[in-house]
Amino acid sequence: MTSIYQINSATRIRFARRFLISLSRMRRASTLGPPSDEEIRTRTRRIRIVSYSSMAFAVGSSRAWSRALVLKIRNRARFRGILRNKCLASKKKRVIKRHKVSREMSKTDMLRRLVPGGAGMGICGLLEETAHYMTCLATQVKVMQSIADHYSK
Amino acid sequence: MSSRRSRSRPSSGVSRISEDQIIDLVSKLQQLIPEIRNRRSDKVSASKVLQETCNYIRSLRREVDDLSDRLSELLASTDSNSAQAAIIRSLLME
């Protein structure tokens, strides 16, 4: 088994590149003058989505979790305009429910919910995907942190 | 973990093989989680590892949220593109 807990620097660079390109696109598209609170909130949401999608695309089809995430993103983009309000409403309900159920849910089930595509995996696959997913998340955080640090100088 | 494992039984067991794999994978996960890694205790139950894994993933996601927030505000204030070249350079050199 190749090192499941070390993603190579190529993935990290691919992620950083995609993410930075998306960020600069966002900046170019921003309106003149100071942005409103609403605009900042929208941009925060976009940056968050771009962060996850950049990583998913950087990993590509080599992992089950990234494949599942890419699929989800593509499907979401397709229905974004039509179902947006509906999704936001149902999302709120889902979050509240999750807190009630989590105590009765097994830890494996909790993990399945956290890892993209986890629902359809056997326990071995789930643990492998989890390790890789966690490493990618940690890389996401590190790269975003250094970008933020650079921008704050 | 399980002392009931008997290797003399012929492969009635895809399940027997998987158990070893699972233990192996759980211990690999253990190494990845800073919470557990820093505590230096060797005996951590699988249940604890799974719990800490979930907590760790949630905390990483929260960090992504916070950083998205921070970047969103920073994006509004920076105006030069030259910062980008410096960022890419430093990211490549790590």
Side-chain angles (χ1 to χ4, degrees):
Chain A
M1 194 166 29
T2 49
S3 53
I4 58 174
Y5 44 87
Q6 277 172 339
I7 61 171
N8 50 22
S9 57
T11 306
R12 207 168 113 255
I13 291 169
R14 274 198 300 269
F15 163 68
R17 205 171 145 267
R18 275 181 180 268
F19 187 60
L20 282 169
I21 288 172
S22 305
L23 280 184
S24 61
R25 237 185 253 146
M26 264 185 252
R27 192 174 43 207
R28 259 182 277 134
S30 65
T31 56
L32 301 153
S36 65
D37 282 341
E38 178 64 41
E39 278 171 350
I40 292 186
R41 268 197 300 274
T42 308
R43 196 185 293 158
T44 303
R45 199 163 52 230
R46 276 210 202 112
I47 291 177
R48 189 178 62 236
I49 292 173
V50 151
S51 172
Y52 287 114
S53 70
S54 298
M55 184 50 93
F57 283 111
V59 173
S61 56
S62 60
R63 282 278 154 183
W65 72 260
S66 59
R67 289 194 295 270
L69 195 49
V70 166
L71 218 62
K72 191 170 93 166
I73 291 166
R74 287 199 176 133
N75 286 335
R76 187 193 290 163
R78 216 173 283 161
F79 296 112
R80 190 173 49 191
I82 305 167
L83 295 178
R84 184 170 56 186
N85 296 329
K86 223 177 172 185
C87 279
L88 282 175
S90 63
K91 209 177 184 183
K92 277 187 196 153
K93 273 191 218 157
R94 248 192 288 142
V95 170
I96 295 168
K97 219 180 175 181
R98 197 184 294 164
H99 287 309
K100 278 194 197 153
V101 176
S102 66
R103 243 172 260 149
E104 296 136 30
M105 222 191 311
S106 78
K107 299 201 174 61
T108 314
D109 286 338
M110 276 203 290
L111 199 54
R112 281 184 205 280
R113 284 195 172 201
L114 288 171
V115 177
M121 295 178 199
I123 183 67
C124 267
L126 179 64
L127 292 177
E128 276 199 46
E129 293 294 313
T130 302
H132 192 268
Y133 180 59
M134 266 174 24
T135 318
C136 290
L137 275 180
T139 305
Q140 237 175 289
V141 165
K142 279 197 208 103
V143 171
M144 286 174 85
Q145 218 143 43
S146 44
I147 292 176
D149 290 340
H150 272 273
Y151 275 141
S152 7
K153 279 188 191 153
Chain B
M1 233 169 264
S2 158
S3 51
R4 283 178 288 127
R5 231 182 306 146
S6 107
R7 288 178 213 270
S8 59
R9 214 178 292 171
S11 47
S12 61
V14 183
S15 58
R16 290 297 173 220
I17 302 170
S18 304
E19 207 176 319
D20 289 336
Q21 275 186 320
I22 291 171
I23 293 170
D24 188 43
L25 287 167
V26 167
S27 70
K28 283 212 172 76
L29 266 184
Q30 208 174 307
Q31 299 308 310
L32 293 173
I33 303 170
E35 260 294 302
I36 299 180
R37 199 173 53 211
N38 296 337
R39 248 182 250 165
R40 295 175 191 283
S41 58
D42 288 330
K43 310 275 169 112
V44 185
S45 71
S47 165
K48 177 83 172 157
V49 174
L50 285 180
Q51 182 64 60
E52 290 303 323
T53 303
C54 292
N55 293 343
Y56 185 47
I57 291 179
R58 283 195 204 108
S59 78
L60 284 175
R61 286 199 179 174
R62 268 198 303 271
E63 281 197 65
V64 172
D65 287 348
D66 293 340
L67 283 166
S68 302
D69 207 18
R70 196 172 146 206
L71 280 173
S72 173
E73 291 179 1
L74 286 171
L75 224 58
S77 48
T78 53
D79 37 33
S80 78
N81 268 319
S82 62
Q84 240 188 72
I87 293 173
I88 296 177
R89 218 175 292 132
S90 69
L91 285 172
L92 289 173
M93 290 209 249
E94 271 170 46

